[in-house]
Amino acid sequence: MSVTPPSVVSARKLGLTFQTGDGPVHALSNVDLEVRKGDFVSFIGPSGCGKTTFLRVIADLEKNTDGEITVNGMTPEEARKSRSYGYVFQAPALYPWRTIEKNVALPLEIMGHSAAERAKRIERTLDLVNLSGFGKKYPWQLSGGMQQRASIARALAFDADLLLMDEPFGALDEIVRDHLNAQLLKLWARTEKTICFVTHSIPEAVYLSTRIVVMSPRPGRVTDVIESTLPKERPLEIRETPEFLEIAHRVREGLRAGHSYEE
Amino acid sequence: MRRLKRNWQPLLASTLTAISAAWLPLTQPGAPVPIQGMTIALLLLAAALNVILTLEDRGHAIRAGVLFIGAHIPAGMLLSGLDGNEGQMSASFFLMITASWLLAWGTVSELAQIEPRSSAARSFLRLLIPAIFGVWILILWEAVTRGAGIPFILLPPPSAIGARIAGSIATLWADVQQTIFKAVLFGYVVGCASGFAVAILADRFAFLRRGLIPIGNMVSALPIIGVAPIMVMWFGFDWQSKAAVVIIMTFFPMLVNTVAGLATAGTMERDLMRSYASDYWQTLIKLRLPAAMPFIFNALKINSTLALIGAIVAEFFGTPIVGMGFRISTEIGRMNVDMVWAEIAVAALIGSVFYGVVALVERATTFWHPSNRGG
Ligand SMILES: Nc1ncnc2c1ncn2[C@@H]1O[C@H](COP(=O)(O)OP(=O)(O)OP(=O)(O)O)[C@@H](O)[C@H]1O
Ligand SMILES: [Mg+2]
């Protein structure tokens, strides 16, 4: 490509230190990262390496203590206030007193969309995550996987260009996960959103991403950034190709290097 | 063994009936209206034996039906035999009452094992079982007070209380209007509403929360009813001073519970609101208040009881000549205990209805809470 797409997330020497009762915890240190429009970036690394924290800094749910970060060229706070991202948490976090439909409508109500517009978007996003027909159910009447899909529908409903997803499929079985991965890729290809995706699964990271960010703990930092050479069109079978396995191997090596650093 | 376990109430009832049949008559020697009571004994025996022998393998519903009839016809005959014989009943009478009570117990335990298919039958059973329970409390109360001649002052029989209620509808209605419709309802609504409003303010302004909540917790534990005489001095003898007591009593439980409830929404749910750049009021209305509902209803239920107690007791310290608390305190002085009990019965009825209505609204509002789901 000759023209580089605009930057969506840009971190320079980003650091975050939590002050806790047992002294400071360096959750992030010296993170340099550039996420461009249309990227699908996966974050992978051992537990506690700061993946969630990094996503939360982008989302302005946590403030960095060092370095700089811009989101869509603004400070994270300005970006949050202009509703530039949708966040999918590790748990569905649906409100039990609202039906699935009303849960999806929640951001739309807050952002002041009209009732007709809400109805249209609810139908479209529930269809997108294969939940049409479940709109009138309450979250606790649905399986865990369906709840997680509803929470994705909620994040998609207001059409933010940036999607932050924290292990959204972590609690699901392999088959459902494969299915949702494929659907997510389709969605990404169709809507040209920028996605930051946290995962513990190497195949998931490789299958989904255009770039894989490998992180390591204490202090949390980026140890490797792997550009994927896979084509944009990815059937599930691509996971058996030598090219796929080669990238997965490099991610694994990167993770190992991060670990050995510790010992 | 199984047979014994299933039939122990009728077995014991038939044994008691046989013993009491040997001690007939039902009245003591010299009673004004002597009663033999052989018919009752035969009825009881027949019902008990029928259940043990011929209905052994029948379903719960049939056994319950026979036990029900076998318990209540003799019980009715025994109670009607009390007329004119107050304090003159023999041991035989009490044994037979016990026997019919055992058969009623058997009825309830058979009913409790029925598993109805339709939901209408289920709700009918849910009402029937406690109704039989309640009726038997009254039957035993009546039999003991009148049969043993317990002094009226100590404990009047329910029939006398019922007659008193029927004969004093006008007075009772005036008392209810004064105490419930004025003091309780006004005080409850104002107390709960202001507790709620101050809780929202305390949530918005930290200094209020820090200062007010510890005091609220402390005051919730105090016997606030003690301020009643002072309220009478401030607001006069009429219902306004009682409403003031109710307001003070209900205010703090509502304040403390609402503030606690507003803190229950989870961090992730709040972060979600933050990610939508939702403002304070949107987060309050769409997340924190719904999450606080179980706490708020808890306060509404506690307060329904407190309001009733507060208004009635506050009237002991001075009222115009009407009101439930006023009636209780003056009638006890005149030894009219049946009137006191009549007021207590009315208060109990209103209290249950009040609580029940709040609980129904709660079920409709917090159906999503894990403790209410699927119920
Ligand atoms: N609010 C907080 N206060 C103090 N320390 C925190 C806080 N949040 C996170 N940490 C610490 O920061 C580090 C990074 O946490 P983070 O949640 O980002 O890890 P993670 O990579 O998402 O792990 P996992 O894969 O288990 O979700 C951890 O050591 C954690 O203990
Ligand atoms: Mg995490």
Side-chain angles (χ1 to χ4, degrees):
Chain A
M1 261 190 280
S2 51
V3 211
T4 33
S7 158
V8 175
V9 178
S10 163
R12 298 263 164 280
K13 304 216 168 310
L14 186 80
L16 193 156
T17 308
F18 288 108
Q19 299 301 337
T20 68
D22 324 320
V25 175
H26 302 282
L28 291 173
S29 109
N30 251 326
V31 175
D32 285 304
L33 192 73
E34 197 71 37
V35 178
R36 301 201 165 273
K37 183 153 176 42
D39 275 354
F40 195 129
V41 181
S42 283
F43 296 82
I44 193 163
S47 192
C49 68
K51 306 181 293 291
T52 299
T53 308
F54 186 56
L55 238 53
R56 288 175 61 86
V57 172
I58 300 174
D60 187 41
L61 300 175
E62 218 79 74
K63 284 262 187 290
N64 53 317
T65 49
D66 288 300
E68 277 158 38
I69 181 165
T70 58
V71 179
N72 284 344
M74 302 175 262
T75 66
E77 186 177 357
E78 287 161 350
R80 176 174 65 82
K81 295 234 161 102
S82 59
R83 290 150 179 170
S84 356
Y85 67 84
Y87 199 117
V88 179
F89 292 86
Q90 222 161 330
L94 299 165
Y95 294 177
W97 51 86
R98 285 176 168 249
T99 58
I100 295 300
E101 225 170 63
K102 291 273 181 205
N103 266 290
V104 175
L106 178 71
L108 303 174
E109 287 171 19
I110 289 173
M111 298 174 191
H113 292 263
S114 71
E117 179 69 21
R118 289 205 298 265
K120 215 171 74 199
R121 285 175 182 234
I122 290 167
E123 194 188 318
R124 197 186 63 209
T125 44
L126 282 183
D127 191 45
L128 217 54
V129 297
N130 271 357
L131 277 180
S132 335
F134 291 94
K136 303 273 187 248
K137 295 261 189 236
Y138 284 92
W140 32 274
Q141 297 169 322
L142 265 51
S143 76
M146 295 162 103
Q147 291 181 26
Q148 193 56 275
R149 278 187 276 159
S151 84
I152 295 171
R154 183 179 57 187
L156 294 175
F158 56 98
D159 267 342
D161 286 333
L162 174 61
L163 208 52
L164 306 172
M165 306 178 89
D166 191 354
E167 293 186 47
F169 310 137
L172 308 181
D173 72 64
E174 286 285 323
I175 304 298
V176 174
R177 202 172 168 143
D178 281 354
H179 178 66
L180 289 180
N181 280 341
Q183 275 185 306
L184 183 60
L185 264 190
K186 275 203 207 107
L187 179 95
W188 170 68
R190 188 163 7 136
T191 57
E192 298 184 321
K193 286 180 191 299
T194 311
I195 301 183
C196 292
F197 188 95
V198 172
T199 179
H200 273 143
S201 154
I202 297 175
E204 186 171 70
V206 178
Y207 176 65
L208 292 173
S209 319
T210 55
R211 274 153 85 213
I212 300 155
V213 176
V214 182
M215 297 179 72
S216 85
R218 274 172 293 266
R221 72 219 126 83
V222 175
T223 50
D224 201 359
V225 179
I226 296 159
E227 300 277 343
S228 174
T229 49
L230 297 176
K232 209 166 176 181
E233 190 67 35
R234 301 176 186 181
L236 278 168
E237 299 73 46
I238 205 169
R239 295 179 301 178
E240 270 109 57
T241 61
E243 205 180 356
F244 184 96
L245 296 176
E246 163 62 23
I247 299 170
H249 178 73
R250 278 175 56 198
V251 175
R252 194 177 303 277
E253 287 297 302
L255 281 172
R256 261 206 210 111
H259 263 285
S260 63
Y261 194 88
E262 235 182 307
E263 282 146 9
Chain B
M1 197 54 218
R2 201 192 73 88
R3 194 180 169 126
L4 187 72
K5 212 169 151 192
R6 193 173 183 203
N7 288 312
W8 74 268
Q9 291 107 339
L11 268 174
L12 189 57
S14 55
T15 318
L16 290 182
T17 314
I19 298 172
S20 67
W23 285 355
L24 284 171
L26 292 176
T27 43
Q28 288 174 8
V33 199
I35 301 167
Q36 259 314 311
M38 205 58 208
T39 340
I40 304 175
L42 286 176
L43 278 173
L44 274 170
L45 261 179
L49 295 178
N50 196 15
V51 167
I52 302 167
L53 299 174
T54 64
L55 298 179
E56 164 67 4
D57 296 323
R58 294 306 175 85
H60 296 301
I62 295 176
R63 285 168 57 91
V66 172
L67 281 166
F68 181 85
I69 296 167
H72 291 85
I73 290 178
M77 293 166 75
L78 285 165
L79 288 187
S80 66
L82 282 167
D83 284 337
N85 291 324
E86 275 82 0
Q88 299 285 337
M89 304 313 282
S90 71
S92 181
F93 170 82
F94 291 105
L95 280 177
M96 282 196 200
I97 274 286
T98 313
S100 32
W101 171 63
L102 280 166
L103 294 185
W105 182 341
T107 314
V108 170
S109 84
E110 294 289 343
L111 286 177
Q113 293 176 57
I114 296 179
E115 278 155 22
R117 285 201 197 92
S118 76
S119 72
R122 198 168 313 132
S123 26
F124 174 70
L125 264 186
R126 247 207 316 259
L127 289 178
L128 182 64
I129 294 176
I132 296 179
F133 248 93
V135 165
W136 271 91
I137 292 177
L138 297 180
I139 293 177
L140 294 178
W141 178 353
E142 181 84 13
V144 170
T145 45
R146 285 176 69 196
I150 293 183
F152 196 78
I153 298 289
L154 285 187
L155 186 61
S159 56
I161 298 171
R164 184 50 127 166
I165 293 177
S168 319
I169 293 286
T171 317
L172 288 169
W173 179 239
D175 290 348
V176 166
Q177 274 183 315
Q178 170 78 9
T179 305
I180 306 294
F181 292 154
K182 290 181 186 161
V184 170
L185 281 189
F186 181 83
Y188 181 81
V189 169
V190 173
C192 291
S194 53
F196 180 80
V198 173
I200 302 284
L201 283 179
D203 181 73
R204 194 85 177 99
F205 303 107
F207 78 95
L208 260 181
R209 186 165 60 245
R210 301 252 175 79
L212 211 54
I213 299 311
I215 295 179
N217 277 316
M218 193 185 70
V219 176
S220 298
L222 292 180
I224 305 177
I225 194 73
V227 302
I230 297 169
M231 292 301 120
V232 172
M233 268 168 53
W234 286 3
F235 298 106
F237 279 101
D238 211 345
W239 64 270
Q240 288 87 348
S241 58
K242 283 76 205 171
V245 175
V246 175
I247 290 173
I248 299 177
M249 283 180 83
T250 53
F251 175 81
F252 287 100
M254 184 48 108
L255 170 66
V256 171
N257 272 285
T258 306
V259 168
L262 287 176
T264 51
T267 11
M268 209 182 280
E269 284 78 4
R270 284 166 203 249
D271 282 346
L272 186 72
M273 281 302 192
R274 200 175 142 81
S275 80
Y276 300 148
S278 148
D279 65 29
Y280 172 82
W281 292 107
Q282 287 175 324
T283 307
L284 184 74
I285 289 166
K286 298 200 187 286
L287 169 63
R288 299 173 64 220
L289 276 181
M293 274 308 156
F295 283 76
I296 293 172
F297 273 102
N298 199 18
L300 286 175
K301 286 194 288 189
I302 297 172
N303 280 348
S304 74
T305 319
L306 283 179
L308 213 59
I309 298 174
I312 292 177
V313 176
E315 286 181 5
F316 294 176
F317 300 97
T319 34
I321 49 159
V322 61
M324 300 175 77
F326 160 80
R327 195 78 52 206
I328 290 175
S329 61
T330 50
E331 297 295 322
I332 196 80
R334 294 190 200 144
M335 301 290 188
N336 290 332
V337 281
D338 52 345
M339 191 60 194
V340 174
W341 279 98
E343 293 281 2
I344 292 174
V346 171
L349 179 71
I350 290 173
S352 320
V353 171
F354 195 176
Y355 190 94
V357 168
V358 176
L360 273 181
V361 179
E362 176 184 30
R363 275 182 72 101
T365 315
T366 63
F367 62 91
W368 50 271
H369 197 256
S371 61
N372 295 336
R373 279 177 208 165

